[in-house]
Amino acid sequence: MSESSQKSRKVVVRKAPSQSRSKEKVQNILAAAKSLLASEGLEKLTTNRIAKLAGLSIGSLYQYFPNKQAIIHQLYSDWLQSVRELLREYQASDLEGETPVSIMQTMMDQIYRPHDLDPEESRYEAELNKAMHLYPELQAIDHRHARQIAGILADILRKTGVVATDDVLFQLGLYSYELYGSYEAMLQHEGTSPGLIYEWQKQGLFSIIESYTKK
Amino acid sequence: MSESSQKSRKVVVRKAPSQSRSKEKVQNILAAAKSLLASEGLEKLTTNRIAKLAGLSIGSLYQYFPNKQAIIHQLYSDWLQSVRELLREYQASDLEGETPVSIMQTMMDQIYRPHDLDPEESRYEAELNKAMHLYPELQAIDHRHARQIAGILADILRKTGVVATDDVLFQLGLYSYELYGSYEAMLQHEGTSPGLIYEWQKQGLFSIIESYTKK
Amino acid sequence: MSESSQKSRKVVVRKAPSQSRSKEKVQNILAAAKSLLASEGLEKLTTNRIAKLAGLSIGSLYQYFPNKQAIIHQLYSDWLQSVRELLREYQASDLEGETPVSIMQTMMDQIYRPHDLDPEESRYEAELNKAMHLYPELQAIDHRHARQIAGILADILRKTGVVATDDVLFQLGLYSYELYGSYEAMLQHEGTSPGLIYEWQKQGLFSIIESYTKK
Amino acid sequence: MSESSQKSRKVVVRKAPSQSRSKEKVQNILAAAKSLLASEGLEKLTTNRIAKLAGLSIGSLYQYFPNKQAIIHQLYSDWLQSVRELLREYQASDLEGETPVSIMQTMMDQIYRPHDLDPEESRYEAELNKAMHLYPELQAIDHRHARQIAGILADILRKTGVVATDDVLFQLGLYSYELYGSYEAMLQHEGTSPGLIYEWQKQGLFSIIESYTKK
DNA sequence: AATGAATGAGGATTCATTCAT
DNA sequence: AATGAATGAATCCTCATTCAT
C-alpha cells in the first residue's frame, strides 16, 4: 500500500499516459516549467523559455494555458492534489490501532522522503512556494487547498485519539501542513542536515500532538 | 517579474556612511524601502519609488547604493544584525541558573513579540525573506549571517547545559533560527492563529532541546 | 481568464507639462502621433513608431503618457477643446443682430475650412474619430465633450432666436456637431466634392434650424 | 490592434459557392461573423472565433475565404448589394407621379427602419463601417459599390424631376447614400434621439433636393 | 475536403540603471 | 553632489495564417 501511494504522489507523471496529444503537450509544458523552476529558479521562468524547453512555440503554449500564472497554478495544484490524495488514502484506511503519532510518522516518512532522494524535487517545491507568494491571485487557491488538507489531517488526528475542539484540531492540521513548508525552506539553506531536521520536525510535532492525547 | 533581469552584481555599500549627511540619506533610503516592502510588497518595490519616497532623486540613490540588490541586502543585513546583537547580549550575560529552555523562552518572547504587536513588521520580514530568495547572490550572505547566529545560539545552548557534539549544537542553533523564519511564513497564511502557533513552536523546540539536556 | 485581464486605464497625462522641456516632449509625441495617424492611419500607430518618430525612446514616451490610449485621448481632447473654445467665443460674443443661420454659417466656415486647405488635417480627424470608436474607454470622454459642445450650440441657437424645448435645442446642438463628424467621413470617400458637400450640409442644417425659428 | 499586421491581400472569394454544401458553409461563416460583429464588436472579431461559431474548423474557413478581410468584404458587399437591389426595384418601377422627395421618403423609410426595430442591426452596420475604414484595401471596393448606388439614386432623382448636370446628380446620389452612413454613426452616440435625427436627415436632404427641382 | 495544432512576428508596457547638465 | 530625463532589453501575450495529417 505504501508502494502504490508512493506512485500516486507523482500526479504529473500519472496523468502522462498519452490519452490524447493535448494531454501530452500540457505535460510537456508543465515538465518544462518544473524543470526550469528546479534548475534556474523562479526568476528565469519566462513563458518563452518554457515554450522553448517544451519544444513548442510560444503561441502553442498559450493554446494550452491562458497565461503564465495558470502554468504555475497547475503545477502547484497538481502537487497539492497529490498530497491530498495521499492523505485521503490514510483518512479512508483502517486506522484501528494507530496512534496520532504513529500515523503522522508514517505519513511524514512518505511525504518527506523525496527530498532526501532528490534535491531537485526539494528545490522545485521551494521555488513553487516562492512563486505562490509572488502571485497574490494564486494565494487564494493555495489557502483553499491548505484548508482541505488541514481538514483531512484534523480528521485523522481526531480519529486516532487527539482530543481538542474542532478549531484547535483544524489549527493543528494547518500547523502540521505548514511545518512541511518550513522543512522545504530549511533545506534550501546550506549547512543544514536534512536527517537531523527531519527528526526534529517529527519530534517537535509529536510533542505537541501528544499533549492533546488522552492517556 | 521585474527581478528576472538581474545579473551578477556587487552587493556592497558604495559609499561608507561616514558623514552624517550621507548617513541620513542612507537611512532615508532604507526606511523608504522598508516601508514600501511592508505596505506594497516586493513586486511594487522599484528603485524609482524608493527614491521618491525617500525624498531624493533616483540618481542620488545610486550614489549610495550600487544597485537594488544592495538596498535589500542592507535591509536584511540590518535586521540580522539586530538579532545577532540581541543574542550576543544574552551570550555575554550571566547565564547562571538558566536552563536551555528558560533562556530560549526569554529570547523567543523578545524576538517573536513584534509580530503580535505590529502586523506591518510581520509583513515586512516576510517580504524581505521572499526578496532574499529571489536574488541568489544574496543567499550566500544570508547563509553567512545565519551561521553566525547559529553559532551564538549553539554557544548559549552549550553554556546552559545542552550536551551534544559541536556539529549537533550548531545544527540546533541553525534549526532554532530557521524555525523563526517558518513562523513568519505561517503568519502570512489566513486562518492561522498566531498565539497557538507560537506556543506550538516553543513546545516543539523545547521538546527537542530537552532531549539533549543532561538531567 | 485572459479576457478578464482587461482593466480600466487611466487616460490622463502622466506628467503635468509644466516645464517647457516636458511640454516640448509631450508636443513632440503628440505631433508624431498626429503625423502617423494622418499619413499611415490608425493601424500603423504603434507606441514604438510614435517614439521613434518623436525622436525619443519608448521608455521616455511612457514617462509622458501612461499608455497608448492616453496619447490618442490627448489628441482628441485637444481637438475638441479647440472646437469648444472657438464656439465659446461665439457664445460669449455679441450676438445682437445675428440669426441662427448667420451665426452657424460663420462658425461652420471657420471650422470646416481646414479640410479644404489641408487634406492631411481631414485624414487626421477621420482617423482620430475611428480610433475613438476602437477604444471604448475613450467614448465616454467623447460623449462628455460632445455634450458640452451641444450645450454651447444650443445656447447660441436659443440666443439667436430658435424656439424649442430645452431638449430639442440640445438635440439640435448634438445633431449639428455630429453632422460635422459625418462631413469628415464623407471627405474620406473618393469622388466626393468637398465644396458641394459643404454647401449641402449647410443648406440641410439651415432648413432644419429655420423650421424652429419664429418669423 | 490586431488589424495592424495586415498586408496587401486579395479580397475575392477563393471558391465560387456553386455547390450547395459550399454555399451553406459560406453562409455559416458570414452569419457567424455578422453575429460576432453585432454582439462583440470589431475588436473581438478573430478568425478563430468566427470558425468556432460557424461550427467548422479554422482550416476550413480558409478554404472558403482567403483571409479575414475577404470575410468582412463579403459582409459589406452583401449589405451593399441588398441596398442596391432595393434601389434597383425603385429604379425599375413606375415612377410616374412620384416627386424626388416622395420617392426618397419611401426609400429612406424602408432602409432606415431596421435601426428602429433592431438595435443589433444598427450596431452591426456601424461595426462593419468601422472595419471598412480599418482595411484600406477594402475602401476601393466600398467606393465602387458606393458609386453604383450613387448612380442608381442619380437616375431615380433625374427621372423624378431633379434637374442638374450629370455630375451634380451623381454627387447628390453619393451624398444621399453617405448621409445614411452618418445616420448610423450618430445612433452610436448616447443621448441622441433616433426619431428626431431621422426627421432632420430627411428634412435636410429634401431641402437640398427641392432646390434642384423645377417648379 | 476537413481539421486544428502550430507558428512567430509584433505589440504594449516596465524598470533597473546611466549620464549629461 | 544632485538631478531626473532617457534608455532599451526584456516580458507577457495575441492572432492571422499555414500545413501535416
Side-chain angles (χ1 to χ4, degrees), chain B residues 126-137:
Chain B
E127 293 292 322
L128 203 49
N129 196 46
K130 218 192 291 180
M132 192 56 40
H133 286 293
L134 219 46
Y135 295 89
E137 282 94 349

Side-chain angles (χ1 to χ4, degrees), chain A:
Chain A
M1 180 241 240
S2 131
E3 240 16 20
S4 68
S5 39
Q6 179 82 339
K7 224 174 182 184
S8 78
R9 223 200 141 271
K10 306 204 170 184
V11 170
V12 180
V13 182
R14 184 208 268 167
K15 273 187 174 175
S18 50
Q19 301 261 339
S20 75
R21 258 192 91 66
S22 261
K23 232 168 196 165
E24 196 187 314
K25 300 279 171 165
V26 165
Q27 291 314 315
N28 283 349
I29 293 167
L30 292 174
K34 180 172 179 173
S35 167
L36 278 172
L37 227 33
S39 64
E40 313 225 40
L42 180 59
E43 321 120 273
K44 299 285 180 62
L45 189 76
T46 72
T47 50
N48 281 286
R49 295 191 67 177
I50 295 173
K52 187 165 282 179
L53 187 60
L56 37 71
S57 69
I58 181 64
S60 288
L61 183 148
Y62 276 90
Q63 226 149 23
Y64 295 103
F65 292 92
N67 52 47
K68 187 181 165 184
Q69 281 188 35
I71 299 173
I72 296 171
H73 167 251
Q74 190 63 48
L75 245 24
Y76 195 69
S77 192
D78 283 354
W79 177 75
L80 280 170
Q81 199 189 352
S82 73
V83 173
R84 268 205 323 272
E85 277 171 10
L86 178 65
L87 296 188
R88 284 219 174 94
E89 282 183 35
Y90 283 104
Q91 185 183 21
S93 72
D94 182 19
L95 295 170
E96 200 65 36
E98 295 278 4
T99 65
V101 162
S102 72
I103 191 74
M104 288 300 281
Q105 164 113 24
T106 308
M107 291 191 298
M108 285 176 80
D109 281 345
Q110 194 161 357
I111 294 174
Y112 282 51
R113 183 87 55 204
H115 293 290
D116 298 342
L117 304 178
D118 184 3
E120 284 270 301
E121 179 68 21
S122 176
R123 171 86 192 274
Y124 165 62
E125 290 183 14
E127 293 291 322
L128 205 49
N129 195 47
K130 223 191 288 179
M132 193 56 39
H133 287 293
L134 220 46
Y135 293 89
E137 281 98 344
L138 300 186
Q139 292 191 25
I141 296 148
D142 176 30
H143 292 327
R144 219 175 50 230
H145 284 275
R147 257 190 288 279
Q148 288 184 38
I149 286 177
I152 297 171
L153 285 172
D155 188 49
I156 292 175
L157 290 173
R158 190 180 46 73
K159 281 180 178 166
T160 51
V162 171
V163 175
T165 65
D166 280 356
D167 182 56
V168 167
L169 271 172
F170 179 79
Q171 291 284 333
L172 201 47
L174 215 46
Y175 183 79
S176 306
Y177 166 62
E178 285 167 352
L179 213 53
Y180 175 63
S182 77
Y183 175 66
E184 287 179 340
M186 288 183 192
L187 290 198
Q188 296 313 303
H189 285 252
E190 292 174 18
T192 50
S193 156
L196 262 185
I197 289 180
Y198 178 36
E199 286 309 318
W200 289 342
Q201 287 258 36
K202 279 203 291 194
Q203 184 174 347
L205 182 58
F206 294 167
S207 145
I208 296 161
I209 288 174
E210 272 170 349
S211 70
Y212 287 97
T213 311
K214 263 196 306 208
K215 267 152 268 176

